[in-house]
Every structure is written in C-alpha cells, then in structure tokens.
Amino acid sequence: MVNFFKRYARSPSALFGLILLVLVIGMALSAGWFFPADPLRLAGRPLQWPLHNARFLLGTDHTGRDIAAQIFHGARVSLTIGVVATAIAIAIGIVVGALAGFYGGVVDDMLMRLTEAFQILPNFLLLLVLVAVFGSTLSTVILAIGVVSWPPAARLTRAEFLSLRHREFVQAVRSLGMRDMPIVFREILPNALPPIVVYASVIMAVAILLESALAFLNLSDPNVPSWGNLIGGGRSVLRQEWYVSAIPGVAILLTVLAVSMVGQGLNDALNPRLRNR
C-alpha cells in the first residue's frame, strides 16, 4: 500500500486531481452543514450577481434560489450519478467481457454482437430514448447512463481476458481442478483490473457530463439540485447574467478534470510496466 501511494505521488497532476476531488467530496459532505435549508427554495431576489449580497456569495439564479447552496448540494448529486452509474457500467462490462474473452467461440460471438447492438446508436441518443421511455427521475437517469456506458468496458475486459487466459498461472490452476468461474473472477480478473479501474474514471467523468447534458435539455430530474439543472435554468439569461450557467459549468469542469487526473494517477500506480521506474 505504501508503495502504491509512492507511485501515485510521483505525478504532480495526479496529486492535483486528488486534491480537487477531495474538495468536491468535502463540498458534498458539508452541504447540509453550510446550507441546511432546501437548496431549491426561493431564498431572495432573482438574479443577484455574486458578491453583491453577503447572504448569497455566488448570487441567485433566475428564480431567486441560492447558487452556492445548489453548487454544494449539486456536488452530492453529481458524485452519486458518477459513482453509481460507473459501478453499473463496469459491473455489466466485466461480466460480459470476461465471459466473452474467457470462453471465446460462440459465446464470444454472441456477446460481442450484443455489445455492438448497444453501440449502433451514439450514447447520448440512446440515453435520450431510455429517458423518454422510462422517465426522468434521478434513479432512472443513473440506471440509463450505466446501461449506455458498459460496451467499451466490456471490450476492454474482453481484450484483457484474451491476453491472459492462456498464461501459465491459468494453466496451473486448471491442472489443479479449479472450476471456470473461480478462475475467471479470482485468478484472471484481478490481473485484468488495472486498465478497467483506469477506464472507470473515464466513465465517471462522462456520466457527470451526460447528466448535465440531459438537465440542460430539461430531461433530467427537476427536483434535485444538480449542476446541470442550474446550467439549464440559466439559458434564458445567458447573455446578461452569464454567471448563472458559468459557475456550475466551472464546477463540472473541475470535477471532470479531477476524476480524469486521478484516473491517470491510478494508471501510473497500478500499471506493472511502470512499477520499477
């Protein structure tokens, strides 16, 4: 573990990303302490600029809601979306990719055709269809993002399994009589995880962006204080009160940047080719 942190700390960008991510997590955890009231309540006069009122350091939006409260509480929503949607996508991708790469043949063909079927339409277009059919509650949006995000994870897992399934350690446990599923999930999967973990950071960043895009189009859950909803609400006043959309936009940018940098740092720390450098 100590060596892992040493390898991670070699990259200044990874450390910077970790600090940013810790700050975002800190915002999410402290939102209820700094802003105990409902962040979607009407708090004051609409469209007050940042720093013009001591009560509203980041100003108010077009309906008079406190932007700072929505930013802090929106960190909870964005992190929840990113983590849960990523977990769903990675879980589906690992199962599909592991079975396809381990067994090959007909199983591989069938599962890869299924994967390609999900990749025929662009992610966002498929996401729009799912949200239109099943609704736009937060849980539905998270599930839909996870469902549209698993194919690349499946392909990555399959490629790793194809390169590992004939290695000596796999042949050794086969000769000892170990069954297929323990070989897949106890022997091969731990060796295939580093690139999958790194790609999980990509999925998480994209998940946050996808929800923000849905909210910008008024297709996400309007009853949660997400950053995307705040950006979407600022469209009508974008020319004059641009800060309404700019502030949550910066929050999304920094969060996505932090997740990407942490993912790169994990790649450097977990990649066996880089461990001896």
Side-chain angles (χ1 to χ4, degrees):
M1 185 62 70
V2 175
N3 290 334
F4 170 81
F5 285 112
K6 286 182 179 180
R7 292 193 298 270
Y8 185 90
R10 290 175 184 173
S11 172
S13 62
L15 287 176
F16 178 69
L18 182 61
I19 292 171
L20 280 180
L21 188 58
V22 168
L23 288 176
V24 175
I25 294 173
M27 288 171 55
L29 294 176
S30 63
W33 187 70
F34 284 112
F35 303 98
D38 182 0
L40 297 181
R41 70 185 178 94
L42 302 183
R45 181 170 54 84
L47 299 177
Q48 298 184 57
W49 277 75
L51 304 178
H52 281 201
N53 187 329
R55 288 180 56 204
F56 310 113
L57 293 180
L58 298 182
T60 58
D61 65 9
H62 63 295
T63 60
R65 296 176 296 193
D66 187 356
I67 292 179
Q70 294 182 74
I71 292 295
F72 272 71
H73 284 269
R76 290 181 176 180
V77 176
S78 293
L79 290 177
T80 299
I81 291 169
V83 171
V84 178
T86 299
I88 293 171
I90 291 297
I92 298 174
I94 285 178
V95 171
V96 173
L99 295 178
F102 182 77
Y103 287 109
V106 176
V107 175
D108 185 19
D109 289 339
M110 292 177 59
L111 292 177
M112 286 302 99
R113 297 299 82 75
L114 175 65
T115 303
E116 290 170 359
F118 272 83
Q119 291 184 302
I120 291 175
L121 294 175
N123 277 6
F124 189 63
L125 184 57
L126 181 57
L127 181 60
L128 290 177
V129 173
L130 292 176
V131 170
V133 172
F134 296 105
S136 58
T137 62
L138 183 60
S139 58
T140 303
V141 170
I142 292 174
L143 181 60
I145 293 174
V147 167
V148 304
S149 302
W150 66 265
R155 288 189 172 277
L156 178 59
T157 305
R158 173 181 177 268
E160 291 296 315
F161 269 71
L162 286 174
S163 66
L164 292 171
R165 65 177 180 174
H166 295 305
R167 296 285 180 88
E168 290 80 2
F169 71 93
V170 177
Q171 301 302 321
V173 294
R174 278 186 182 279
S175 65
L176 294 175
M178 185 178 288
R179 296 184 177 181
D180 288 351
M181 289 302 102
I183 293 176
V184 169
F185 293 106
R186 287 170 49 188
E187 300 297 330
I188 302 180
L189 183 58
N191 291 278
L193 273 180
I196 300 172
V197 170
V198 174
Y199 189 74
S201 66
V202 177
I203 296 178
M204 183 173 177
V206 172
I208 294 173
L209 292 174
L210 286 175
E211 189 279 332
S212 300
L214 283 177
F216 185 78
L217 298 175
N218 293 325
L219 293 174
S220 187
D221 192 340
N223 300 311
V224 296
S226 76
W227 294 337
N229 282 333
L230 187 54
I231 293 176
R235 287 180 303 173
S236 59
V237 294
L238 189 59
R239 291 183 180 274
Q240 293 79 29
E241 282 76 21
W242 50 266
Y243 67 90
V244 178
S245 294
I247 292 173
V250 171
I252 292 173
L253 172 64
L254 293 178
T255 303
V256 170
L257 181 65
V259 172
S260 300
M261 288 180 172
V262 168
Q264 186 58 50
L266 289 175
N267 178 56
D268 295 342
L270 294 172
N271 193 332
R273 299 182 182 89
L274 301 176
R275 287 182 182 176
N276 297 324
R277 291 187 181 180

